[in-house]
Amino acid sequence: MKKKYVIPFAVLLGVASLAGCGKKDENPYSKYVTLGDYTGMTIDRIVTTISDDDVQNEIQNDLYADADFKEVTDRGAKEGDTVNIDYTGTINGKEFEGGSDTDYDLELGSGTFLDDFESGIVGMKTGDTKDITVTFPDEYDGTLDGQTAVFSVTVNSISEVILPDYNDAYVKENYGFDTTTDFEASVKEDLQSQYDDDATYTACSDALSMAVDNATFDGYPEDMYNTVKEQMESENQAFSDQLGIEWTDLAGDDYDIEDDVLNSVHEELVVYAIAAKEKLEVTDDEFNTFVDDNWELYEYDTKEDFLNDNSEEDLRYSLLYQKVLDFLGENNTFNDINEDEYYTDEDFLDEASMDPEDESDAGLELETDVDDTGAVFEDISEITAETESETNA
C-alpha cells in the first residue's frame, strides 16, 4: 500500500517572515531578544499505542472511500444512510440565520447535526416532509442557547452505502498484499508511525514554547508586529465568515488579539535567534527542492502560481522553523507519557469535557477547513513536507 502523509512544517498563526533567507550567522533582530535555556530541557511527549480497533477504523475509512451509493426508494431512512434534504428552521415562527439549507447531503448517525435532528429523519421516506423539534444546549453559541427550534425537513432522496467486500482478494487487488493479515499489519505500522511523528512534532513545538518562555525581550520590530497582526485579523475573520458566526461570539469577550500577536512575534524572534546561534540555514537547493516537491501536491497548475500565492520569504521561514524544531528535538530530552498525563492542564480538561454535540448545529454544519481556495495559507502555516511510506514490500 502506498499512502501519502502530510505532516505540517509549522503552526505559525499569522507569522510571516520579514528577514528573508535566514542566512547563516545573521540575525537582524538580535537587539530584541536574549536567549535563555533552549537545550538540555526535558519535554513531555505523548505515547500512543495503536489498537486493533484503530486499525479496523482506518480500514473502514478506506472501504468507505471505495463505497458505492445505491438510491433507496422502498423504505424509510435508517442510520448509516445518506439523505439529501431541504430544511428550514424557525424559532417562535420566525426563520433564524444559518437555520436553513437546500440540497444538503447528511449521513445519519454521523453527528454532523444535533442528535434530535438526525434521529428525527430516521424512518422518513423520499418525498416526506416533517417538522422536527430541536432544543439547543444551554451553552451553545451565545445566541441560540437553550432555545427550541422547529425544522421543516423534506427528504429529497435516500442512499445506502454499499461497502466493498473486505477479503484477501480486495487487499490483493487494491494494495498488493496477499492476505488481510499482512495488510492489517502494514496499516498498524503506518498508523503508529504517524502518531509517533505527530507526538514528536508536538513535543518539539512545546520545546520551542519553553525556549520562548526562557528568553527575554526588549521591544519588537514594528513592521513584524503589524504584519503579524494584519494576517491574524484576516485569518480570524475568514474563519468566522465561513462558520457564519461573529468573531467576538466565536472567540469570547475576553479574547485579546494583542496577546496572540505578541506571542507569535516573540516566537519568530526566538526562531531567528536560535537559527543564527546554531548556524542553521535554508540553502537554495533545499528551498528549490521543497518547491519542486510540493507545488503539485497543493494542486497548483504551475510552480509559478504556487510561488505567487506563497512568497519565497514565507516559505523559507517555514523551512527554517522546521530546522529549529529538528534541532530542539535533537538537543532536548523527551519524557514519554500517556495522553491522560499530558493533558492535565485545566484548559485542556475543560475542552475535553465538552459534549461534542455542543459544537454542532442542526442548522449549521461546523466545518474546520478554512481555506477552500486551493491556496496554501498566505502565512504558509500549513506548508508541509510530503512523506511517502511504501508499505508494500
Side-chain angles (χ1 to χ4, degrees):
M1 178 176 65
K2 184 177 182 181
K3 300 188 77 172
K4 295 179 180 178
Y5 300 117
V6 180
I7 303 172
F9 263 131
V11 181
L12 310 173
L13 181 61
V15 175
S17 168
L18 299 172
C21 300
K23 294 276 179 116
K24 183 167 56 178
D25 293 330
E26 294 180 2
N27 179 13
Y29 306 128
S30 58
K31 68 178 181 178
Y32 298 108
V33 57
T34 301
L35 291 172
D37 291 339
Y38 62 91
T39 61
M41 303 183 296
T42 299
I43 314 297
D44 288 340
R45 178 173 61 180
I46 302 172
V47 174
T48 301
T49 300
I50 300 302
S51 67
D52 290 341
D53 285 343
D54 293 330
V55 172
Q56 293 305 317
N57 287 336
E58 181 72 9
I59 292 172
Q60 285 299 308
N61 289 337
D62 287 345
L63 292 175
Y64 198 91
D66 293 333
D68 291 325
F69 292 85
K70 178 183 177 182
E71 187 169 355
V72 175
T73 57
D74 59 350
R75 63 167 174 80
K78 63 182 182 180
E79 189 167 306
D81 288 341
T82 294
V83 292
N84 182 275
I85 58 174
D86 301 336
Y87 62 89
T88 301
T90 60
I91 296 177
N92 297 324
K94 296 183 179 180
E95 293 186 29
F96 60 94
E97 183 177 358
S100 303
D101 205 349
T102 59
D103 197 32
Y104 187 91
D105 289 323
L106 171 64
E107 180 187 346
L108 298 180
S110 65
T112 305
F113 293 164
L114 294 175
D115 280 349
D116 288 346
F117 184 88
E118 294 191 18
S119 63
I121 298 174
V122 172
M124 294 180 65
K125 295 182 178 180
T126 300
D128 285 353
T129 297
K130 176 181 177 182
D131 286 345
I132 299 174
T133 301
V134 172
T135 300
F136 291 94
D138 290 336
E139 295 182 4
Y140 190 67
D141 66 352
T143 301
L144 300 174
D145 299 354
Q147 296 199 57
T148 297
V150 177
F151 291 89
S152 176
V153 180
T154 298
V155 175
N156 301 317
S157 65
I158 304 169
S159 299
E160 63 178 342
V161 180
I162 310 292
L163 296 178
D165 292 332
Y166 175 63
N167 50 34
D168 291 347
Y170 174 81
V171 299
K172 177 70 173 178
E173 178 181 355
N174 290 276
Y175 300 104
F177 290 91
D178 291 330
T179 67
T180 57
T181 300
D182 292 340
F183 173 64
E184 289 169 12
S186 174
V187 171
K188 188 170 188 176
E189 182 180 349
D190 278 356
L191 285 175
Q192 190 65 64
S193 178
Q194 290 179 64
Y195 274 87
D196 290 347
D197 287 345
D198 289 346
T200 297
Y201 180 85
T202 299
C204 291
S205 298
D206 289 345
L208 178 56
S209 295
M210 292 177 65
V212 173
D213 290 341
N214 293 337
T216 55
F217 302 92
D218 183 14
Y220 49 78
E222 289 291 336
D223 52 353
M224 178 187 291
Y225 183 92
N226 293 334
T227 298
V228 169
K229 184 176 182 180
E230 180 180 341
Q231 290 181 342
M232 194 172 292
E233 288 175 337
S234 176
E235 290 172 0
N236 290 349
Q237 188 61 50
F239 187 66
S240 60
D241 286 347
Q242 186 184 34
L243 296 181
I245 301 173
E246 292 294 330
W247 176 251
T248 51
D249 293 335
L250 188 64
D253 294 334
D254 295 335
Y255 176 72
D256 185 356
I257 194 173
E258 304 295 335
D259 293 336
D260 280 347
V261 172
L262 193 58
N263 289 338
S264 294
V265 169
H266 285 169
E267 180 179 86
E268 186 169 0
L269 293 174
V270 168
V271 166
Y272 280 118
I274 293 175
K277 187 171 182 179
E278 301 300 335
K279 298 180 174 55
L280 306 175
E281 63 174 330
V282 176
T283 67
D284 290 341
D285 284 345
E286 288 172 331
F287 171 77
N288 291 329
T289 297
F290 173 77
V291 173
D292 289 341
D293 289 347
N294 283 276
W295 68 268
E296 288 183 299
L297 177 65
Y298 291 100
E299 300 179 357
Y300 279 86
D301 293 332
T302 66
K303 185 192 306 184
E304 289 70 25
D305 289 341
F306 176 77
L307 289 172
N308 285 336
D309 276 354
N310 308 285
S311 71
E312 179 173 344
E313 289 78 13
D314 289 346
L315 289 167
R316 283 185 178 273
Y317 178 73
S318 289
L319 292 167
L320 185 67
Y321 180 100
Q322 183 61 40
K323 281 179 174 281
V324 169
L325 288 194
D326 291 342
F327 174 86
L328 294 174
E330 293 167 1
N331 290 274
N332 290 286
T333 301
F334 293 134
N335 173 42
D336 289 339
I337 60 176
N338 63 42
E339 191 172 19
D340 291 337
E341 291 179 279
Y342 182 85
Y343 292 110
T344 55
D345 182 88
E346 184 177 349
D347 290 337
F348 284 111
L349 289 176
D350 286 344
E351 289 182 17
S353 64
M354 290 177 62
D355 185 343
E357 292 181 359
D358 292 351
E359 295 300 322
S360 60
D361 184 341
L364 291 172
E365 182 187 20
L366 183 59
E367 298 178 357
T368 55
D369 294 327
V370 176
D371 188 35
D372 290 326
T373 65
V376 187
F377 294 83
E378 289 186 2
D379 66 353
I380 226 54
S381 65
E382 296 298 329
I383 282 297
T384 64
E386 177 188 16
T387 303
E388 292 191 350
S389 176
E390 295 286 347
T391 60
N392 182 8

